[in-house]
Amino acid sequence: MPENTMMTPACLIDEAKFKRNVERVANHVAAQGCQLRPHVKTLKSVAAARYYAPPGTPITVSTLAEASYFLAAGYRDILYAVVVTPNKLSEVASLVADGAQLTVMVDSVAGASALSEAWQSPHTLQVAIEVDVDGHRAGIQPDAEALPDIATLLCKAEKLQFHGLVAHAGASYGSFTPAARHDMAEQEVARMQHAVRHLTEHGFTCQMVSIGSTPTALEDVDRTGITEIRAGVYATFDCVMAGLDVCKVDDIALSVLTSVIGTQPHKGQVLIDAGWMALSRDTGTATTSFDCGYGLVCDLEGKLLDGWYVAHTNQEHGIICHRDGGKVATDMFRFGQMLRILPVHACATASQFSQYTVVDAHMQTQAVWSRVNGW
Amino acid sequence: MPENTMMTPACLIDEAKFKRNVERVANHVAAQGCQLRPHVKTLKSVAAARYYAPPGTPITVSTLAEASYFLAAGYRDILYAVVVTPNKLSEVASLVADGAQLTVMVDSVAGASALSEAWQSPHTLQVAIEVDVDGHRAGIQPDAEALPDIATLLCKAEKLQFHGLVAHAGASYGSFTPAARHDMAEQEVARMQHAVRHLTEHGFTCQMVSIGSTPTALEDVDRTGITEIRAGVYATFDCVMAGLDVCKVDDIALSVLTSVIGTQPHKGQVLIDAGWMALSRDTGTATTSFDCGYGLVCDLEGKLLDGWYVAHTNQEHGIICHRDGGKVATDMFRFGQMLRILPVHACATASQFSQYTVVDAHMQTQAVWSRVNGW
């Protein structure tokens, strides 16, 4: 692509880095003796998923829109990883009627009761219980008295099938040392094993015992009793993951192509046409020692411009500054020059686009991958 | 809509509040003796715009995708309010060839030179110069020597027409008292008048003298020499604007409909199915005395639940907390209950959706308005 014909902002995927990341995680999870159930929520693209989850592979989705889109592309074994509410059951029923082997989640007696009462389909729905392994967000405690009560409710319902347990160690995003990550990975497994034992003592069998997050998935721990690992952002990685040392900055496969639209030399600022609409408002590294603002700045070839980062964003404007402050000359940037911004959080940045341009190391377009948005 | 059939998350617009906001600003700007050129970047919806900018009205856009979409709906007088770069000129040429009376912007000699060299169309393109009135972001200083140089470059180019000046007092978002807002509105006018005088002294005539931001547009100041006012977010307002006291919380016309998917009573947390994918990652009130987190919580009827706000977000999970901390009982929330979240920044929240459901005070759907995304 000649520089002056590419529209900006645009979302690029570096094909070689993407393939390398995908291979790394696939090999690691296989070596851990687990099935990988990729979370497709980062790229939400069938064209991308064929590299890390060919049709037939079990996948995880974050929306029913993803479930529908991937089902149409031949994916049947789908985990919907957000607790399901009654208002979504007509859509869930459509998916199951269309052949999805869909697993939904509950994490409370109230949720299981609501599901039992509201599920009207002639088809059986697989239901997993979400377990809290790290106090991060949702899920029931492994030793909660309500855990077997939920399983009982699910087993009693004629057209529901208790399928197992799901957990997500989201707190691993706050594990900044190798030891902390390893501990979190062990904790994720241990608490899940605890929940399985709790249910086993009450006579329940867990067919699915699903854990995962990109940081813990890449740890090497004993995963006895775990049937599958979920991870999502690993295919592209991002600055958050680089800050955790789960990947290197050079592994980040997603970037936003942008044009320089001006400089304010007296402030040491370079303006670009990628604001929060393109980069997202995510500043997930802001409270860490690896603060990347709204993204790190690379040249058109993808070479990191050391010290430059997107410090501010408005809707369609980004402001690049240097870490050393406003005294660093901006004259290395010229009007109309194209740059690539490495995302702080790839899931958030990718979600601002409807497609990705897949490029090789010479910025030659190899493919255009579309994605699904919405709910 | 019965509660159990609405999909969540969804983006709602309260029709009565929307119409009231639109009327308020239209009346005010008319009383100020200026043409209103609404910025359509908040809702990006032709169906919404017909209430505040019927076809034929001049509009402001933030992307060429908006320009194309609004042109197709009969809008011709369009200001593209981001400095244009050569890579966008083929799209700009298409729009002009299709009948758009498009005005683009430059704010540097480099930008004007690049435009002069790269504009190849047989049609004449209107070009305005962006002026910096508040040190907020982009634009050239009113007294800069380069200002007449840019105008000269534009006038020399055969198929470019120097059209005037544009400024945006974005710093008004940091004006937290009536006096500060009034001062900023006066400053916006005064610096623009200065820029006009500067160019007049060099023999240039400014047909367009365009200023605006929602906070300054709503001030009552002498606007001599100003031909038009731009504003965008006023049609829905948001928590940022309420924090500035530019509107009341009760004026906020946009909300995200969401379902309660669980509670963590020991932490005082309520989980909802609206995460940052629905609400956006914008925390624009975080550093102010009116910190709304990721949004304020209302019941299904739109009544504010005092003290409750979205404190944390993941991709499809939001966590509601009470300002008084984790000791406040969460049992007023029930599984599956629907809530409405008032957005921190309406432009960012609206951009996460492809359509809006327009509802009356009884949550009856009046219309569905689609929007354009992308670039």
Side-chain angles (χ1 to χ4, degrees):
Chain A
M1 291 188 288
E3 186 170 359
N4 60 1
T5 65
M6 291 183 289
M7 184 53 110
T8 49
C11 195
L12 306 183
I13 289 180
D14 182 305
E15 187 178 34
K17 292 180 182 182
F18 171 84
K19 288 182 176 173
R20 194 171 69 202
N21 296 338
V22 163
E23 190 174 17
R24 174 184 164 205
V25 173
N27 290 344
H28 178 81
V29 172
Q32 291 276 293
C34 287
Q35 168 78 50
L36 179 61
R37 181 189 288 274
H39 205 317
V40 296
K41 78 184 176 84
T42 303
L43 296 177
K44 299 194 183 199
S45 166
V46 164
R50 71 172 190 272
Y51 290 94
Y52 54 86
T57 310
I59 59 169
T60 317
V61 299
S62 67
T63 65
L64 295 177
E66 287 163 56
S68 177
Y69 164 80
F70 276 91
L71 177 62
Y75 295 82
R76 293 186 64 241
D77 183 356
I78 301 171
L79 170 65
Y80 171 46
V82 180
V83 162
V84 71
T85 42
N87 64 317
K88 298 197 173 102
L89 291 181
S90 66
E91 177 63 21
V92 167
S94 293
L95 290 163
V96 174
D98 289 347
Q101 181 195 331
L102 189 70
T103 302
V104 299
M105 301 193 320
V106 295
D107 71 348
S108 65
V109 168
S113 298
L115 183 56
S116 301
E117 285 165 26
W119 182 249
Q120 302 286 346
S121 163
H123 299 282
T124 297
L125 180 64
Q126 294 177 348
V127 188
I129 302 174
E130 184 174 11
V131 176
D132 181 5
V133 293
D134 58 357
H136 165 60
R137 186 171 69 193
I140 184 165
Q141 299 301 314
D143 56 1
E145 282 179 24
L147 179 59
D149 296 342
I150 297 172
T152 300
L153 273 168
L154 298 176
C155 288
K156 272 190 186 164
E158 197 187 347
K159 289 293 181 185
L160 298 181
Q161 184 201 319
F162 170 62
H163 194 52
L165 301 174
V166 175
H168 166 58
S172 64
Y173 281 54
S175 301
F176 286 95
T177 65
R181 269 199 304 286
H182 192 80
D183 288 351
M184 185 56 70
E186 289 197 325
Q187 176 180 318
E188 188 180 29
V189 171
R191 298 212 179 161
M192 203 58 158
Q193 290 169 334
H194 186 128
V196 171
R197 277 197 306 275
H198 189 178
L199 284 177
T200 305
E201 286 162 10
H202 284 79
F204 298 101
T205 303
C206 296
Q207 191 177 332
M208 165 189 268
V209 184
S210 178
I211 62 173
S213 73
T214 289
T216 55
L218 280 163
E219 289 299 310
D220 182 11
V221 294
D222 180 351
R223 299 182 189 268
T224 303
I226 304 300
T227 63
E228 61 178 42
I229 293 177
R230 306 185 322 282
V233 77
Y234 68 86
T236 63
F237 287 124
D238 54 26
C239 293
V240 167
M241 288 295 128
L244 288 166
D245 207 26
V246 170
C247 70
K248 302 301 174 195
V249 168
D250 191 51
D251 294 326
I252 299 174
L254 189 134
S255 62
V256 172
L257 185 72
T258 184
S259 297
V260 171
I261 59 172
T263 56
Q264 298 274 330
H266 59 294
K267 293 189 278 188
Q269 295 183 343
V270 181
L271 277 79
I272 56 174
D273 68 354
W276 57 251
M277 186 64 87
L279 300 173
S280 93
R281 265 289 194 204
D282 205 300
T283 55
T285 58
T287 56
T288 75
S289 61
F290 185 64
D291 181 9
C292 303
Y294 295 91
L296 297 177
V297 181
C298 298
D299 67 13
L300 182 59
E301 287 70 41
K303 184 175 163 289
L304 198 66
L305 300 179
D306 200 41
W308 295 96
Y309 70 108
V310 183
H312 310 282
T313 53
N314 295 130
Q315 188 157 341
E316 297 292 343
H317 294 78
I319 299 180
I320 292 174
C321 294
H322 194 278
R323 289 193 193 290
D324 295 340
K327 301 294 176 195
V328 178
T330 56
D331 52 10
M332 62 182 282
F333 297 94
R334 60 180 168 75
F335 183 83
Q337 178 184 357
M338 290 195 180
L339 302 169
R340 288 161 76 169
I341 311 299
L342 300 180
V344 169
H345 184 176
C347 305
T349 301
S351 79
Q352 304 299 102
F353 293 86
S354 59
Q355 64 179 38
Y356 316 108
T357 302
V358 184
V359 295
D360 66 14
H362 308 289
M363 277 295 288
Q364 296 300 304
T365 300
Q366 303 300 305
V368 174
W369 294 345
S370 64
R371 66 172 270 147
V372 67
N373 283 313
W375 287 272
Chain B
M1 289 188 287
E3 185 170 359
N4 60 0
T5 64
M6 291 183 288
M7 184 54 110
T8 49
C11 194
L12 306 183
I13 290 180
D14 181 306
E15 188 177 35
K17 293 181 182 182
F18 171 84
K19 288 183 177 173
R20 195 171 69 202
N21 296 339
V22 162
E23 191 175 15
R24 173 185 164 203
V25 173
N27 290 343
H28 178 82
V29 172
Q32 290 278 290
C34 286
Q35 168 78 51
L36 179 61
R37 181 188 287 275
H39 204 319
V40 298
K41 77 184 176 85
T42 302
L43 296 176
K44 298 194 183 198
S45 167
V46 164
R50 72 170 189 274
Y51 290 95
Y52 52 87
T57 310
I59 58 169
T60 317
V61 300
S62 68
T63 65
L64 295 178
E66 287 163 55
S68 176
Y69 164 80
F70 277 90
L71 177 62
Y75 295 82
R76 293 185 65 242
D77 182 356
I78 300 172
L79 169 65
Y80 171 46
V82 180
V83 161
V84 71
T85 44
N87 64 317
K88 297 197 174 104
L89 291 181
S90 66
E91 178 63 20
V92 167
S94 292
L95 290 163
V96 175
D98 289 346
Q101 181 195 332
L102 189 71
T103 303
V104 300
M105 301 193 319
V106 295
D107 72 348
S108 65
V109 168
S113 300
L115 183 56
S116 301
E117 285 165 27
W119 182 249
Q120 302 287 345
S121 162
H123 300 280
T124 297
L125 180 64
Q126 294 177 349
V127 188
I129 302 175
E130 184 174 12
V131 176
D132 181 5
V133 292
D134 59 357
H136 166 60
R137 185 172 71 194
I140 186 165
Q141 298 302 312
D143 56 0
E145 284 180 23
L147 180 58
D149 297 342
I150 297 171
T152 301
L153 273 168
L154 298 176
C155 289
K156 272 190 186 163
E158 198 187 346
K159 290 292 181 185
L160 299 181
Q161 183 201 319
F162 169 61
H163 194 52
L165 301 175
V166 175
H168 166 58
S172 64
Y173 281 54
S175 301
F176 287 96
T177 64
R181 270 198 305 286
H182 191 81
D183 288 351
M184 185 57 69
E186 289 196 326
Q187 177 180 317
E188 189 180 29
V189 172
R191 298 211 180 162
M192 204 56 159
Q193 290 170 334
H194 185 127
V196 172
R197 276 196 306 275
H198 189 178
L199 285 177
T200 305
E201 286 162 10
H202 284 79
F204 297 103
T205 303
C206 297
Q207 190 176 335
M208 166 189 267
V209 184
S210 177
I211 61 173
S213 74
T214 289
T216 54
L218 280 164
E219 289 299 310
D220 182 10
V221 294
D222 180 352
R223 298 183 189 269
T224 303
I226 304 300
T227 64
E228 60 177 43
I229 293 177
R230 306 186 321 283
V233 78
Y234 68 85
T236 62
F237 287 123
D238 54 25
C239 293
V240 167
M241 288 296 128
L244 287 166
D245 206 27
V246 171
C247 69
K248 302 300 173 196
V249 168
D250 191 51
D251 293 326
I252 300 173
L254 189 136
S255 62
V256 173
L257 185 73
T258 183
S259 298
V260 171
I261 59 172
T263 56
Q264 298 274 331
H266 59 294
K267 292 189 278 188
Q269 295 184 342
V270 181
L271 278 79
I272 56 173
D273 68 355
W276 56 252
M277 186 65 87
L279 299 173
S280 93
R281 265 290 193 203
D282 205 300
T283 54
T285 58
T287 56
T288 76
S289 60
F290 187 63
D291 181 8
C292 304
Y294 294 92
L296 296 178
V297 182
C298 298
D299 67 13
L300 182 58
E301 286 70 40
K303 183 174 165 290
L304 198 66
L305 301 179
D306 200 41
W308 294 96
Y309 70 109
V310 183
H312 310 282
T313 53
N314 296 129
Q315 188 157 343
E316 297 292 344
H317 294 77
I319 299 180
I320 291 175
C321 296
H322 193 278
R323 290 193 192 289
D324 294 340
K327 300 295 176 195
V328 179
T330 57
D331 52 11
M332 62 182 282
F333 298 93
R334 62 181 166 74
F335 183 82
Q337 178 184 356
M338 290 196 179
L339 301 170
R340 287 161 77 170
I341 311 298
L342 301 181
V344 169
H345 185 175
C347 305
T349 301
S351 79
Q352 305 298 104
F353 293 86
S354 59
Q355 63 179 40
Y356 316 107
T357 302
V358 183
V359 295
D360 66 14
H362 308 291
M363 277 296 287
Q364 297 300 305
T365 300
Q366 303 300 306
V368 174
W369 294 344
S370 64
R371 64 172 271 146
V372 67
N373 283 313
W375 288 273

